[in-house]
Amino acid sequence: MPTFAESSAPVDTERRAECYERLGLTTDARAFTCAVKAEMEQALAVLDPGMPSNTKVKLNPRRRHPIVVTPLDPLPAPPTLEALGGELGRRWPMTGLLDILKEADLRIGFTQAFSTAASREATDPDEVRRRLLLCLYGLGTNAGLKRLVVGDHGFTYKELLHTRRRYIDAESLRDATRRVVNATLAARDPAVWGEGTTACASDSKHFAAFDQNLMTEWHVRYGGRGVMIYWHVERQSVCIHSRLKRCSSSEVASMIEGVLAHDTEMEVDRQYVDSHGQSEVAFAFCKLLGFQLLPRLKAIAGQKLYLPGTGTADDYPNLGCILTRPIDWALIERQYDEMVRYATAMAERTADPEAILRRFTRNNVQHPTYKALAELGKAMKTAFLCRYLHDEALRREINEGLNVVETWNSANGFIFFGRGGEVASNRLDDQQASVAALHLLQSCLVYVNTLMLQRVLAEERWRGRMTAADERGLTPLIWAHVSPYGAFDLNMERRLDIEARIAA
């Protein structure tokens, strides 16, 4: 593939300018590397003099892995949130999950995202809407359509199955979820939730699945067969993107894809991940794509800091035991056009991030563009590590952001309760529909809870009880007042006709 510089055609020159403009990057490779180098130098200049007085981070040269980071102190428990949750339970006791789905649709109208695949539809639109809600509930809870036939809605299994096959697919489900997410962001009261956030956390969740399909793999860490769902959840528990993936697929690629392809009104400029969602190449692409990668590194003790230039190690005497070689800026400049081209392909969605990242692995270490990406990633990771070690507030911010996505994962089990939480299908489109329906159902829960909490906190007696700790811990992802299982009617007069014989 020729580089931009190797092509003399006018159309390629225009295309080159479009790519740089889209990413917000300068076309001057030297100016780009000078800016990155200055960022490194500033971060190192802040960390080095602050190390002697840094009580939370120490460097021990006698250790094989010199960095010692003191765990974060626990924050005070929110005194009002438990009572606030109890108030929701008192006002809306054991609200049915199906009622929450219905209420969200009545306010948002997300069922309009579903249209029939047939040439025409003679069924009444209101009846189709009711069928859709039942089908979405059956898919999102994993209970299935047959379990819903016993309700008093009057629909048969064949009618629900017809609606499922004619109306519901993964793309329509994603469109419906996008509408719910945007409605949640629009409905938020800044006095309760604060100003809009641009920070997002991402992590994967393991789901058991049937083993006779191309997606299911054995997961070494979780010790079972299944699939992974990769979630992108912003700081106030709104999930803006989800993706079904194999256990062995790249979490870095899923992280980048979610930031670029979520299609909601939220703009992401800070992305929290755990150790599996980051790499040096990931740091490089995040820099080119215009957002910060903020990982919580499990192996923080063994990290190294790269130098911004040759002979600069003496400028940082307090960091000597964790300093290593200088960055090769000339390599980055030579491959700058190629790196921008790959980043543009991701941004424009003309190439799958996983396909691109699969090309840039350690198995292809001699690839010049991979080497340049690794160098840029080392520079950006060094700047991040300096901020991470110096600023306890940043470490706490990352930890709190990842706790939000962990809470989202916990709610998965509450909602996706049917069939033991196993994705019970060997068809890829059915698997994707189940995952997308779970995302939609959980997003509706967050939307309705947001309105409920705002209704309670609009009263002065509740708003006045909120402390700073309560505001920090307030989340719409709560479910103690919710019943996912539906209504259970006990009629002592109605008996099972066990003795009745089948007529000949």
Side-chain angles (χ1 to χ4, degrees):
M1 181 171 59
T3 63
F4 291 123
E6 292 171 345
S7 177
S8 59
V11 65
D12 287 344
T13 302
E14 295 176 4
R15 175 60 178 159
R16 178 177 186 267
E18 291 176 1
C19 292
Y20 281 94
E21 183 179 359
R22 179 182 181 85
L23 298 178
L25 297 172
T26 175
T27 58
D28 187 349
R30 178 62 60 85
F32 175 78
T33 56
C34 286
V36 176
K37 184 177 181 180
E39 184 177 350
M40 276 186 69
E41 291 173 340
Q42 181 181 7
L44 287 165
V46 171
L47 177 64
D48 179 73
M51 281 305 301
S53 59
N54 192 336
T55 59
K56 301 294 185 179
V57 178
K58 297 298 180 183
L59 301 181
N60 188 348
R62 294 187 298 271
R63 292 168 55 101
R64 180 182 177 185
H65 302 303
I67 302 176
V68 181
V69 179
T70 303
L72 296 170
D73 296 329
L75 294 174
T80 309
L81 290 189
E82 184 176 353
L84 183 62
E87 181 67 10
L88 261 64
R90 186 185 68 81
R91 298 192 186 191
W92 299 279
M94 286 300 104
T95 304
L97 195 56
L98 181 58
D99 291 330
I100 288 177
L101 184 68
K102 174 196 67 179
E103 182 65 25
D105 182 50
L106 291 174
R107 291 173 178 267
I108 302 170
F110 63 79
T111 50
Q112 297 176 7
F114 301 92
S115 58
T116 178
S119 58
R120 66 184 183 87
E121 179 59 75
T123 310
D124 180 71
D126 289 337
E127 182 175 331
V128 172
R129 187 183 197 181
R130 294 169 59 214
R131 289 187 192 179
L132 279 170
L133 292 174
L134 289 168
C135 291
L136 294 173
Y137 176 82
L139 291 173
T141 60
N142 206 32
L145 303 185
K146 290 183 179 179
R147 303 298 185 274
L148 301 180
V149 176
V150 297
D152 58 359
H153 44 72
F155 298 127
T156 66
Y157 170 67
K158 287 186 177 181
E159 289 173 330
L160 295 180
L161 186 62
H162 174 272
T163 303
R164 160 70 180 93
R165 290 175 173 173
R166 294 293 189 274
Y167 286 85
I168 299 176
D169 56 50
E171 191 61 35
S172 299
L173 283 162
R174 281 190 286 268
D175 186 16
T177 304
R178 177 185 58 80
R179 300 184 187 204
V180 175
V181 169
N182 289 339
T184 305
L185 297 175
R188 280 181 179 168
D189 183 359
V192 176
W193 308 103
E195 297 300 326
T197 177
T198 56
C200 184
S202 58
D203 195 12
S204 59
K205 169 77 171 179
H206 180 261
F207 283 76
F210 287 1
D211 57 359
Q212 294 182 355
N213 63 79
L214 297 177
M215 293 294 292
T216 299
E217 293 178 345
W218 185 270
H219 200 290
V220 176
R221 194 163 75 249
Y222 293 104
R225 57 176 172 80
V227 295
M228 305 293 289
I229 305 178
Y230 203 81
W231 307 105
H232 281 70
V233 185
E234 61 94 42
R235 289 293 299 270
Q236 296 294 345
S237 300
V238 172
C239 183
I240 62 174
H241 188 264
S242 63
R243 181 189 179 187
L244 178 71
K245 59 191 288 289
R246 300 188 311 275
C247 296
S248 61
S249 59
S250 170
E251 293 197 17
V252 172
S254 299
M255 176 271 296
I256 295 176
E257 180 189 13
V259 174
L260 299 177
H262 61 83
D263 289 331
T264 69
E265 295 178 357
M266 179 183 175
E267 295 183 3
V268 179
D269 68 1
R270 297 168 72 83
Q271 181 65 38
Y272 312 122
V273 296
D274 59 12
S275 296
H276 302 283
Q278 62 82 38
S279 67
E280 291 174 351
V281 172
F283 270 99
F285 274 119
C286 291
K287 173 63 177 177
L288 296 171
L289 292 169
F291 63 93
Q292 298 183 58
L293 181 61
L294 304 174
R296 180 175 61 189
L297 297 172
K298 183 177 182 180
I300 185 67
Q303 300 298 318
K304 294 290 185 179
L305 303 180
Y306 286 80
L307 293 169
T310 304
T312 58
D314 294 338
D315 297 339
Y316 315 107
N318 297 316
L319 305 176
C321 62
I322 57 173
L323 294 177
T324 183
R325 65 170 179 83
I327 297 294
D328 187 351
W329 302 108
L331 175 61
I332 298 175
E333 292 171 8
R334 289 195 299 270
Q335 294 294 319
Y336 184 48
D337 279 342
E338 285 300 303
M339 293 190 296
V340 170
R341 171 168 290 191
Y342 284 109
T344 303
M346 290 184 180
E348 294 181 345
R349 306 186 200 177
T350 57
D352 184 15
E354 184 156 2
I356 292 178
L357 291 176
R358 194 181 300 118
R359 186 173 186 178
F360 298 128
T361 63
R362 293 183 180 179
N363 294 329
N364 201 12
V365 70
Q366 296 303 317
H367 194 294
T369 306
Y370 167 78
K371 294 167 70 175
L373 286 167
E375 286 297 300
L376 176 59
K378 289 178 173 68
M380 296 310 304
K381 188 174 183 179
T382 295
F384 161 74
L385 285 171
C386 290
R387 298 194 302 270
Y388 185 86
L389 297 175
H390 176 75
D391 191 357
E392 182 180 0
L394 177 60
R395 299 197 295 274
R396 189 174 295 278
E397 175 190 342
I398 295 172
N399 190 66
E400 291 177 353
L402 290 173
N403 285 342
V404 172
V405 74
E406 292 293 347
T407 303
W408 179 273
N409 285 335
S410 299
N412 294 161
F414 174 76
I415 295 177
F416 203 70
F417 61 84
R419 300 165 184 169
E422 185 175 44
V423 181
S425 174
N426 279 330
R427 293 172 53 89
L428 178 59
D429 54 349
D430 288 343
Q431 292 179 342
Q432 292 175 335
S434 295
V435 171
L438 168 61
H439 186 182
L440 173 61
L441 201 55
Q442 201 157 323
S443 297
C444 290
L445 173 64
V446 170
Y447 170 73
V448 172
N449 280 347
T450 298
L451 301 180
M452 288 180 174
L453 287 168
Q454 289 178 179
R455 175 67 183 86
V456 174
L457 292 175
E459 300 174 8
E460 183 59 33
R461 66 187 183 94
W462 280 103
R463 186 60 187 158
R465 293 177 59 180
M466 297 292 288
T467 65
D470 293 316
E471 293 175 352
R472 184 194 71 249
L474 183 64
T475 173
L477 189 57
I478 51 179
W479 55 89
H481 61 295
V482 176
S483 172
Y485 309 113
F488 298 92
D489 298 323
L490 178 63
N491 188 338
M492 299 299 291
E493 303 300 326
R494 186 171 62 243
R495 301 289 300 275
L496 296 177
D497 195 4
I498 297 175
E499 280 73 22
R501 296 183 178 180
I502 300 175

